[in-house]
Amino acid sequence: MIHLNQTGYLPDAAKIAIITYSCDTFLLKDSKTGQIVYEGATKPYNDEKPDEASGDIVYHADFSSFGKEGTYILQAGQSVSSPFSISRNVYSKLKTDLIRSYYFQRCGCALDAAYAGRFVHGCCHTAPAALFDDPSTKLDLSGGWHDAGDYGRYVTAAATALAHLLYAFILFPDRFLEPLNIPESGSTTPDLLNECRYELEWLLKMQRSDGGVFHKVSTWHHAPFVMPEFDTAPLYAYAVATPATADFAAVTALAARIFAPYDNDFSEKLKAASLLSWEFLQTHPEFIAFSNPPGSGTGEYGDSSDRDERFWAAAELFFLTGEARFLDSFLVLYMEDFSKTALGYAAVGGFGCLSFYINPVFAKVPTAEDTTAIPVALHIPGWTDDYIARMPELLNIRENIRGDFLAAAAHRAALIPQNAYLVAMQKSDYCWGSNMTLLNNGILLILGFLLTGNNEYREAALSSLHYLLGRNATGYSYVTGYGTRSCRHPHMRTVFADGIDEPIPGFVSGGPNAYLSDEFGKRHIAEGTPPMKCYLDEYACYSLNEVTIYWNSPAVFVTAFFDAKS
Ligand code: 9MR
Ligand code: ZN
């Protein structure tokens, strides 16, 4: 087969297709006219030795120097590739659909045909939730986004998705100006923020009056494969936990800062909620973990520490309020031993560092010559003379943060030439939700580029998109609706039950998982299958083919970065 990015390539970027059979030359043809536009020789990868991650012996067809916009197919021997585009806007529509996926995950309302087209659903999950420890107490926890293929709503997962989306907005605000055709479109607030607000309004309901935050609201077991309005089992507000509480404090502070110019009242509400959760964390310095009550079966989202979540909250509250107590906590926690580059749902240290690094109090004015300056255009209060005196100390921390991000980017970039599919992944990365690792690597590589101006990092980041969109050993594009061979049967209740053949477009599948954690996968994937091939496009495969809000969000970050308008 010929594996390439089935959506396509930017004109100025490297363009390499991967061929899994022996051939010497290849042709690039205009997909409509059949006219040959480019010819080249293939290059055997690694002396025709099988690749560890995929098991494949491959040949690379490099047509990087061809940059004319159009739609093409690549032919090598008798086989032809999927058609793909070369265009400056090649990721625009994809970016929009990746963001619109959040509208399709809205809970607590009906999806209207005006916005959802064929993919409507009725109003769901509006019944009050019973407090798990005291079921006679009922709470309104309606709203927010369904987490994934299931209908649970989980705070740490929500905070992660919001973090990817909101930091992308801070870094590249000009990529989020197009209307998304959601109910709030037409307001003066960018639609990405309107969509995030839907989640934030729900998040605010998850806070208890003492500032503690419920870990999740869900039924006792996952629903059967029915549309959400038919999932009427009782809802529970599960226990308060400190990772959820600290994530809540972090992301509401971040959102308060971002929403201030658009809606001051909402911003103030977010700020007050964030401060209240911070107070809870101060009176509960101990780690309050969450684990599923015995016999229950919805998502657990366990964690082994809350130090990184507290760290992220301290960073955001410092930049929101300018108060020294938050800076002091941030500096103490920074010295502790947790990943400073992780951007996941259990490890969030990277969000705290990113927040600190990109804050405008440190930013230089960007110029054409100096690509290391990061453009940020948000209002930040509280920068006083005291901090100017502490600047050398802060700049020192910032330099360390830069070093950590660069080390992570360099480590990831170095993996690319070591595997046949030229992706920044190692064997152990092919676990449940491997596409999140893939896309978070894309973010780290984008940061590598922004911090150095080194184009190799930009190319390396693109390799994550190429893999996601088809240049991988299964040949699937892991985004529904994108590519001629994209996944069509994601483990997603709405997509299964809506009676429509096509999946809703714009959802990222979890991707290959060598640990095969679901029954169908275990039965149908042979032992010893190389990790990159441990994938099936099957509804039953929740450990290979589910979707989640925090797998779409790093994809939004990466596509938004590459969707530059100039
Ligand atoms: O994404 C999560 C993955 O990293 C874990 O290995 C897995 C098992 O604990 O859970 C995944 O999260 C699922 C969550 O628990 C419930 N909603 C769907 C999520 C994706 O499969
Ligand atoms: Zn719902």
Side-chain angles (χ1 to χ4, degrees):
M1 280 178 79
I2 302 174
H3 299 307
L4 46 65
N5 183 333
Q6 295 166 26
T7 297
Y9 298 84
L10 293 167
D12 67 346
K15 304 168 200 74
I16 298 174
I18 318 271
I19 303 171
T20 57
Y21 51 89
S22 173
C23 62
D24 300 328
T25 58
F26 69 94
L27 301 173
L28 201 61
K29 291 180 172 177
D30 184 300
S31 70
K32 287 184 201 88
T33 63
Q35 191 199 343
I36 297 174
V37 295
Y38 187 88
E39 314 188 32
T42 62
K43 221 171 117 202
Y45 173 77
N46 197 20
D47 297 327
E48 302 178 299
K49 289 199 198 73
D51 169 53
E52 214 192 356
S54 63
D56 289 345
I57 295 170
V58 309
Y59 302 81
H60 289 171
D62 188 337
F63 53 103
S64 303
S65 60
F66 183 80
K68 189 162 172 263
E69 297 206 350
T71 310
Y72 305 98
I73 51 166
L74 192 139
Q75 184 176 346
Q78 291 314 304
S79 295
V80 291
S81 73
S82 304
F84 63 95
S85 302
I86 297 180
S87 159
R88 265 188 312 269
N89 304 322
V90 66
Y91 307 126
S92 285
K93 188 165 175 297
L94 170 64
K95 177 192 73 182
T96 301
D97 276 340
L98 288 167
I99 305 173
R100 274 177 49 78
S101 76
Y102 294 93
Y103 173 71
F104 290 107
Q105 289 289 34
R106 285 192 191 189
C107 183
C109 64
L111 297 194
D112 192 305
Y115 315 107
R118 295 175 293 164
F119 304 109
V120 290
H121 72 60
C123 187
C124 57
H125 303 116
T126 47
L131 207 54
F132 182 76
D133 299 323
D134 170 18
S136 63
T137 304
K138 300 273 200 298
L139 305 164
D140 168 24
L141 300 180
S142 60
W145 301 319
H146 297 140
D147 179 57
D150 68 303
Y151 295 135
R153 285 162 292 145
Y154 311 90
V155 167
T156 57
T160 306
L162 286 168
H164 288 125
L165 298 174
L166 294 176
Y167 288 120
F169 180 79
I170 291 182
L171 282 164
F172 330 116
D174 62 323
R175 320 291 156 86
F176 298 105
L177 300 177
E178 302 98 344
L180 293 174
N181 188 30
I182 57 176
E184 299 78 10
S185 293
S187 75
T188 49
T189 309
D191 271 350
L192 178 80
L193 299 187
N194 285 326
E195 191 53 59
C196 288
R197 182 169 180 160
Y198 195 82
E199 183 76 336
L200 287 159
E201 299 275 12
W202 161 74
L203 206 52
L204 289 170
K205 296 182 184 174
M206 294 296 281
Q207 186 182 45
R208 205 166 59 183
S209 56
D210 66 350
V213 175
F214 302 116
H215 187 75
K216 65 173 173 178
V217 54
S218 77
T219 49
W220 184 245
H221 284 299
H222 285 313
F225 265 55
V226 296
M227 292 302 276
E229 59 271 36
F230 302 119
D231 174 28
T232 51
L235 291 166
Y236 295 98
Y238 287 80
V240 161
T242 48
T245 304
D247 269 1
F248 174 98
V251 85
T252 50
L254 167 63
R257 190 150 63 93
I258 294 178
F259 275 90
Y262 302 104
D263 183 339
N264 198 54
D265 289 351
F266 185 52
S267 168
E268 288 297 328
K269 198 169 162 191
L270 290 162
K271 178 178 172 181
S274 176
L275 287 166
L276 185 63
S277 282
W278 181 264
E279 287 324 311
F280 180 91
L281 294 168
Q282 301 322 293
T283 48
H284 293 86
E286 74 284 7
F287 172 42
I288 306 175
F290 179 81
S291 52
N292 268 343
S296 68
T298 59
E300 184 162 68
Y301 289 117
D303 203 338
S304 52
S305 156
D306 64 11
R307 306 305 285 172
D308 50 331
E309 285 84 3
R310 287 173 191 258
F311 168 75
W312 181 27
E316 279 306 335
L317 274 163
F318 172 57
F319 290 120
L320 179 65
T321 65
E323 287 179 35
R325 59 182 172 135
F326 300 117
L327 178 60
D328 294 339
S329 290
F330 175 87
L331 294 174
V332 167
L333 288 159
Y334 180 75
M335 299 317 289
E336 294 187 13
D337 186 22
F338 53 80
S339 166
K340 302 297 186 302
T341 57
L343 306 167
Y345 62 79
V348 299
F351 293 127
C353 287
L354 182 61
S355 169
F356 193 88
Y357 192 85
I358 66 179
N359 196 278
V361 293
F362 304 115
K364 295 176 270 173
V365 178
T367 65
E369 291 72 45
D370 183 2
T371 52
T372 64
I374 296 177
V376 186
L378 293 178
H379 166 70
I380 306 295
W383 195 249
T384 66
D385 288 351
D386 291 352
Y387 299 126
I388 292 170
R390 291 179 76 173
M391 202 48 144
E393 178 194 5
L394 302 190
L395 286 177
N396 190 29
I397 297 283
R398 190 166 179 265
E399 208 37 46
N400 289 338
I401 289 174
R402 180 174 194 271
D404 285 341
F405 278 130
L406 281 182
H411 164 66
R412 287 293 159 182
L415 295 171
I416 291 177
Q418 295 177 34
N419 67 93
Y421 286 86
L422 305 174
V423 63
M425 298 277 277
Q426 54 207 357
K427 235 177 136 187
S428 55
D429 291 331
Y430 295 95
C431 59
W432 193 325
S434 58
N435 283 339
M436 178 175 89
T437 307
L438 172 87
L439 292 161
N440 276 340
N441 292 341
I443 296 178
L444 292 171
L445 290 161
I446 288 170
L447 293 178
F449 173 65
L450 291 173
L451 302 185
T452 62
N454 179 347
N455 200 48
E456 277 177 34
Y457 284 125
R458 184 174 178 273
E459 285 297 343
L462 277 168
S463 75
S464 289
L465 272 189
H466 299 334
Y467 171 104
L468 183 76
L469 297 165
R471 199 177 74 180
N472 59 63
T474 64
Y476 274 105
S477 163
Y478 293 119
V479 182
T480 55
Y482 281 81
T484 38
R485 193 157 181 269
S486 57
C487 52
R488 295 179 58 86
H489 312 291
H491 179 90
M492 191 176 169
R493 281 163 176 73
T494 46
V495 167
F496 178 85
D498 64 7
I500 301 170
D501 238 21
E502 287 77 41
I504 310 171
F507 281 87
V508 173
S509 159
N513 169 15
Y515 305 94
L516 299 177
S517 313
D518 61 73
E519 287 313 310
F520 193 98
K522 272 186 202 145
R523 264 188 282 125
H524 292 88
I525 296 183
E527 224 183 290
T529 300
M532 206 195 285
K533 287 188 174 156
C534 291
Y535 172 75
L536 292 170
D537 180 24
E538 291 286 344
Y539 290 120
C541 293
Y542 52 84
S543 84
L544 311 174
N545 204 29
E546 191 162 354
V547 304
T548 75
I549 54 172
Y550 54 89
W551 296 339
N552 258 65
S553 52
V556 170
F557 190 114
V558 175
T559 50
F561 175 71
F562 287 111
D563 190 34
K565 293 293 171 251
S566 53

